[in-house]
Amino acid sequence: MALNLVSPPLIDRPDFEQLLEAGRFGVWSPQARALHDQGFCVLDLDRTSLGELPEATLGALQPALAPQAEAWRRGEGGTPRVQDAWQQHPEVLALACLPEILECLRCLYGREPFPFQTLNFAVGSEQHFHSDAVHFHSYPHGFMCGVWIALEDVLPGSGPLLYFPGSHREQYQSAASLGLDPAQVAAEPHPQCFFEAGWREAVELRGYGQEQFLPLRGQALIWHANLLHGGTPVADRSLSRWSQVTHYYFADCLHTTPLLSFGHDHGGASLRNPFNLLTGTRRFSEAEWQALILT
């Protein structure tokens, strides 16, 4: 089992400018430039290859999420969302495995991508801004990203996605970096809260500007593993904001859960064996996984 735990993603390499000038990113050069400089890029998905997938995905999810959305509008429930709907809905799986997205990520990162998780939203999430890299990350750093696809035109007031350009250059964080121990994390129902004060401080100290994503149906936002992003408050609860987020890992890496990664005395890094949606199997076989754990 060969792993490359040294080379960073192409968009994070010190010689990025030389790679760009040499044409390494081809037609994806604008996306590479934006992802390197700002921590995100916009991808206008080809309408032919995308076809009716947004409508089909929305139609598959509406029966379950629409009633939840109505209850949410009445103040009777939390934000309607579903994790890993690919398990029940082939439309969600097809969107996560869209060849155009895989081709783009392969070029930008220099390794083979694979989707491992999906999230679908009917309305704005209103999430506190955060870095995905505290929830799932990798060795080497940076080989994880999120792709957010609009299943409908997103209107102001619906709680659009927000992000802070340039914030991806902040230091990666984990339970270990904050000096947390397993008992502290286990006692907190929402352990992301341990990181939120630091993120707010970084935004204030560095003066990161906040931007919103107001895409048309079929537009996608790709964000860097460490980009601070979240959901704006929903000003008009009559508006929907149907979307799909897919998280991707890359080949030849180790995959971790930084929220559960502690100092050496408390068990060290928390490795994870993600499910590869492309193959329908875990990233590592049982034998490979046991060998990793023993190592």
Side-chain angles (χ1 to χ4, degrees), residues 122-153:
V123 299
S125 70
E126 299 186 301
Q127 288 177 304
H128 188 288
F129 60 85
H130 59 282
S131 164
D132 283 346
V134 304
H135 296 284
F136 18 73
H137 199 36
S138 67
Y139 293 120
H141 288 328
F143 280 106
M144 196 285 299
C145 69
V147 178
W148 191 101
I149 300 176
L151 302 182
E152 62 178 346
D153 296 351

Short mmCIF file of all heavy atoms in Angstrom, two decimals, residues 122-153:
data_model
loop_
_atom_site.label_atom_id
_atom_site.label_comp_id
_atom_site.label_asym_id
_atom_site.label_seq_id
_atom_site.Cartn_x
_atom_site.Cartn_y
_atom_site.Cartn_z
N ALA A 122 -32.57 22.04 2.20
CA ALA A 122 -33.75 22.62 1.57
C ALA A 122 -33.80 24.13 1.76
O ALA A 122 -34.41 24.84 0.95
CB ALA A 122 -35.02 22.00 2.17
N VAL A 123 -33.17 24.63 2.84
CA VAL A 123 -33.17 26.06 3.14
C VAL A 123 -31.77 26.44 3.60
O VAL A 123 -30.88 25.59 3.73
CB VAL A 123 -34.20 26.41 4.24
CG1 VAL A 123 -35.61 26.04 3.78
CG2 VAL A 123 -33.86 25.71 5.55
N GLY A 124 -31.56 27.72 3.88
CA GLY A 124 -30.27 28.17 4.36
C GLY A 124 -29.88 27.51 5.68
O GLY A 124 -30.72 27.34 6.57
N SER A 125 -28.61 27.16 5.82
CA SER A 125 -28.16 26.41 7.00
C SER A 125 -28.00 27.29 8.23
O SER A 125 -28.12 26.81 9.36
CB SER A 125 -26.81 25.74 6.70
OG SER A 125 -25.78 26.71 6.58
N GLU A 126 -27.69 28.57 8.04
CA GLU A 126 -27.42 29.52 9.14
C GLU A 126 -26.31 29.02 10.07
O GLU A 126 -26.25 29.38 11.24
CB GLU A 126 -28.69 29.81 9.95
CG GLU A 126 -29.80 30.46 9.13
CD GLU A 126 -31.00 30.89 9.96
OE1 GLU A 126 -31.61 30.02 10.62
OE2 GLU A 126 -31.33 32.08 9.95
N GLN A 127 -25.39 28.22 9.54
CA GLN A 127 -24.29 27.69 10.34
C GLN A 127 -23.27 28.77 10.68
O GLN A 127 -22.96 29.63 9.85
CB GLN A 127 -23.56 26.58 9.58
CG GLN A 127 -24.34 25.28 9.45
CD GLN A 127 -23.56 24.27 8.63
OE1 GLN A 127 -23.18 24.53 7.49
NE2 GLN A 127 -23.32 23.10 9.20
N HIS A 128 -22.73 28.71 11.91
CA HIS A 128 -21.59 29.55 12.25
C HIS A 128 -20.46 29.23 11.28
O HIS A 128 -20.25 28.07 10.92
CB HIS A 128 -21.15 29.27 13.68
CG HIS A 128 -20.10 30.23 14.20
ND1 HIS A 128 -18.79 30.21 13.78
CD2 HIS A 128 -20.19 31.24 15.10
CE1 HIS A 128 -18.10 31.15 14.40
NE2 HIS A 128 -18.94 31.79 15.21
N PHE A 129 -19.72 30.26 10.87
CA PHE A 129 -18.64 29.98 9.93
C PHE A 129 -17.59 29.10 10.60
O PHE A 129 -17.33 29.17 11.80
CB PHE A 129 -18.05 31.26 9.36
CG PHE A 129 -17.44 32.22 10.36
CD1 PHE A 129 -16.13 32.07 10.79
CD2 PHE A 129 -18.18 33.30 10.84
CE1 PHE A 129 -15.56 32.96 11.68
CE2 PHE A 129 -17.63 34.20 11.73
CZ PHE A 129 -16.32 34.03 12.16
N HIS A 130 -16.99 28.23 9.78
CA HIS A 130 -16.11 27.20 10.29
C HIS A 130 -15.18 26.72 9.19
O HIS A 130 -15.38 27.00 8.01
CB HIS A 130 -16.93 26.01 10.80
CG HIS A 130 -17.79 25.39 9.75
ND1 HIS A 130 -18.99 25.95 9.34
CD2 HIS A 130 -17.62 24.28 8.97
CE1 HIS A 130 -19.52 25.21 8.38
NE2 HIS A 130 -18.70 24.20 8.12
N SER A 131 -14.18 25.98 9.59
CA SER A 131 -13.30 25.27 8.66
C SER A 131 -13.66 23.80 8.68
O SER A 131 -13.71 23.18 9.75
CB SER A 131 -11.83 25.45 9.07
OG SER A 131 -11.01 24.51 8.41
N ASP A 132 -13.90 23.22 7.52
CA ASP A 132 -14.19 21.78 7.45
C ASP A 132 -13.03 20.94 7.98
O ASP A 132 -13.21 19.79 8.37
CB ASP A 132 -14.48 21.37 6.01
CG ASP A 132 -15.87 21.77 5.56
OD1 ASP A 132 -16.70 22.13 6.41
OD2 ASP A 132 -16.13 21.72 4.34
N ALA A 133 -11.82 21.54 7.97
CA ALA A 133 -10.62 20.78 8.33
C ALA A 133 -10.56 20.40 9.79
O ALA A 133 -9.67 19.64 10.18
CB ALA A 133 -9.37 21.56 7.94
N VAL A 134 -11.48 20.88 10.64
CA VAL A 134 -11.52 20.36 12.01
C VAL A 134 -12.41 19.12 12.08
O VAL A 134 -12.34 18.36 13.05
CB VAL A 134 -12.01 21.42 13.03
CG1 VAL A 134 -11.14 22.66 12.97
CG2 VAL A 134 -13.47 21.76 12.85
N HIS A 135 -13.26 18.92 11.08
CA HIS A 135 -14.17 17.77 11.08
C HIS A 135 -13.57 16.58 10.33
O HIS A 135 -13.72 15.44 10.75
CB HIS A 135 -15.51 18.17 10.46
CG HIS A 135 -16.23 19.20 11.26
ND1 HIS A 135 -16.88 18.90 12.43
CD2 HIS A 135 -16.39 20.53 11.06
CE1 HIS A 135 -17.44 20.00 12.93
NE2 HIS A 135 -17.15 21.01 12.11
N PHE A 136 -12.95 16.86 9.18
CA PHE A 136 -12.29 15.80 8.43
C PHE A 136 -11.13 16.41 7.67
O PHE A 136 -11.26 17.46 7.05
CB PHE A 136 -13.23 15.07 7.46
CG PHE A 136 -14.50 15.79 7.12
CD1 PHE A 136 -14.49 16.91 6.29
CD2 PHE A 136 -15.71 15.37 7.64
CE1 PHE A 136 -15.67 17.57 5.96
CE2 PHE A 136 -16.89 16.03 7.32
CZ PHE A 136 -16.86 17.13 6.48
N HIS A 137 -10.00 15.72 7.74
CA HIS A 137 -8.81 16.28 7.10
C HIS A 137 -7.89 15.16 6.63
O HIS A 137 -8.34 14.01 6.49
CB HIS A 137 -8.10 17.25 8.06
CG HIS A 137 -7.17 18.18 7.34
ND1 HIS A 137 -7.45 18.70 6.10
CD2 HIS A 137 -5.95 18.66 7.69
CE1 HIS A 137 -6.46 19.48 5.72
NE2 HIS A 137 -5.53 19.47 6.65
N SER A 138 -6.63 15.48 6.40
CA SER A 138 -5.74 14.51 5.75
C SER A 138 -4.28 14.76 6.10
O SER A 138 -3.89 15.84 6.54
CB SER A 138 -5.90 14.60 4.22
OG SER A 138 -5.41 15.86 3.76
N TYR A 139 -3.49 13.72 5.90
CA TYR A 139 -2.03 13.82 5.78
C TYR A 139 -1.68 13.35 4.38
O TYR A 139 -2.05 12.24 4.01
CB TYR A 139 -1.32 12.93 6.81
CG TYR A 139 -1.51 13.32 8.23
CD1 TYR A 139 -2.09 12.44 9.14
CD2 TYR A 139 -1.09 14.57 8.70
CE1 TYR A 139 -2.26 12.78 10.47
CE2 TYR A 139 -1.26 14.92 10.03
CZ TYR A 139 -1.85 14.02 10.91
OH TYR A 139 -2.02 14.37 12.23
N PRO A 140 -0.98 14.20 3.57
CA PRO A 140 -0.57 15.57 3.85
C PRO A 140 -1.78 16.51 3.99
O PRO A 140 -2.87 16.20 3.50
CB PRO A 140 0.27 15.94 2.62
CG PRO A 140 0.57 14.68 1.93
CD PRO A 140 -0.55 13.75 2.23
N HIS A 141 -1.55 17.67 4.61
CA HIS A 141 -2.62 18.63 4.78
C HIS A 141 -3.15 19.11 3.43
O HIS A 141 -2.41 19.23 2.45
CB HIS A 141 -2.11 19.85 5.56
CG HIS A 141 -1.86 19.58 7.00
ND1 HIS A 141 -2.59 18.68 7.73
CD2 HIS A 141 -0.96 20.11 7.88
CE1 HIS A 141 -2.16 18.66 8.97
NE2 HIS A 141 -1.16 19.51 9.09
N GLY A 142 -4.44 19.40 3.41
CA GLY A 142 -5.05 20.05 2.26
C GLY A 142 -5.77 19.15 1.28
O GLY A 142 -6.47 19.65 0.39
N PHE A 143 -5.61 17.83 1.42
CA PHE A 143 -6.24 16.92 0.45
C PHE A 143 -7.67 16.57 0.88
O PHE A 143 -8.03 15.41 1.09
CB PHE A 143 -5.41 15.66 0.25
CG PHE A 143 -4.24 15.87 -0.68
CD1 PHE A 143 -2.95 15.94 -0.19
CD2 PHE A 143 -4.45 16.03 -2.04
CE1 PHE A 143 -1.87 16.13 -1.04
CE2 PHE A 143 -3.38 16.22 -2.91
CZ PHE A 143 -2.08 16.28 -2.40
N MET A 144 -8.48 17.59 1.01
CA MET A 144 -9.92 17.48 1.24
C MET A 144 -10.54 18.77 0.73
O MET A 144 -9.92 19.83 0.83
CB MET A 144 -10.23 17.29 2.73
CG MET A 144 -11.64 16.79 3.04
SD MET A 144 -12.96 18.03 2.88
CE MET A 144 -12.45 19.27 4.08
N CYS A 145 -11.72 18.68 0.16
CA CYS A 145 -12.39 19.91 -0.26
C CYS A 145 -13.90 19.68 -0.27
O CYS A 145 -14.37 18.54 -0.25
CB CYS A 145 -11.91 20.37 -1.64
SG CYS A 145 -12.41 19.30 -3.00
N GLY A 146 -14.62 20.78 -0.28
CA GLY A 146 -16.07 20.73 -0.40
C GLY A 146 -16.51 21.32 -1.72
O GLY A 146 -15.88 22.25 -2.25
N VAL A 147 -17.58 20.76 -2.28
CA VAL A 147 -18.18 21.29 -3.51
C VAL A 147 -19.67 21.50 -3.24
O VAL A 147 -20.39 20.54 -2.93
CB VAL A 147 -17.97 20.35 -4.71
CG1 VAL A 147 -18.65 20.92 -5.96
CG2 VAL A 147 -16.48 20.13 -4.97
N TRP A 148 -20.11 22.74 -3.35
CA TRP A 148 -21.49 23.14 -3.08
C TRP A 148 -22.17 23.42 -4.42
O TRP A 148 -21.69 24.25 -5.19
CB TRP A 148 -21.47 24.39 -2.20
CG TRP A 148 -22.76 24.83 -1.58
CD1 TRP A 148 -23.16 24.63 -0.30
CD2 TRP A 148 -23.79 25.62 -2.21
NE1 TRP A 148 -24.39 25.23 -0.09
CE2 TRP A 148 -24.80 25.84 -1.24
CE3 TRP A 148 -23.97 26.13 -3.50
CZ2 TRP A 148 -25.96 26.56 -1.51
CZ3 TRP A 148 -25.11 26.85 -3.78
CH2 TRP A 148 -26.09 27.05 -2.80
N ILE A 149 -23.26 22.72 -4.70
CA ILE A 149 -23.96 22.88 -5.98
C ILE A 149 -25.37 23.41 -5.74
O ILE A 149 -26.11 22.87 -4.91
CB ILE A 149 -24.04 21.54 -6.75
CG1 ILE A 149 -22.64 21.01 -7.04
CG2 ILE A 149 -24.81 21.71 -8.06
CD1 ILE A 149 -22.63 19.65 -7.71
N ALA A 150 -25.72 24.46 -6.46
CA ALA A 150 -27.07 25.02 -6.37
C ALA A 150 -28.04 24.18 -7.19
O ALA A 150 -27.84 23.99 -8.39
CB ALA A 150 -27.07 26.46 -6.89
N LEU A 151 -29.08 23.68 -6.54
CA LEU A 151 -30.12 22.92 -7.24
C LEU A 151 -31.22 23.84 -7.76
O LEU A 151 -32.13 23.39 -8.46
CB LEU A 151 -30.72 21.87 -6.31
CG LEU A 151 -29.72 20.86 -5.73
CD1 LEU A 151 -30.45 19.83 -4.86
CD2 LEU A 151 -28.95 20.16 -6.84
N GLU A 152 -31.13 25.12 -7.42
CA GLU A 152 -32.04 26.15 -7.91
C GLU A 152 -31.31 27.49 -7.82
O GLU A 152 -30.25 27.59 -7.18
CB GLU A 152 -33.32 26.20 -7.07
CG GLU A 152 -33.07 26.56 -5.60
CD GLU A 152 -34.35 26.66 -4.79
OE1 GLU A 152 -35.43 26.70 -5.39
OE2 GLU A 152 -34.25 26.71 -3.54
N ASP A 153 -31.83 28.53 -8.46
CA ASP A 153 -31.25 29.86 -8.32
C ASP A 153 -31.36 30.29 -6.85
O ASP A 153 -32.42 30.14 -6.23
CB ASP A 153 -31.98 30.87 -9.20
CG ASP A 153 -31.84 30.57 -10.69
OD1 ASP A 153 -31.04 29.68 -11.05
OD2 ASP A 153 -32.53 31.23 -11.49
#
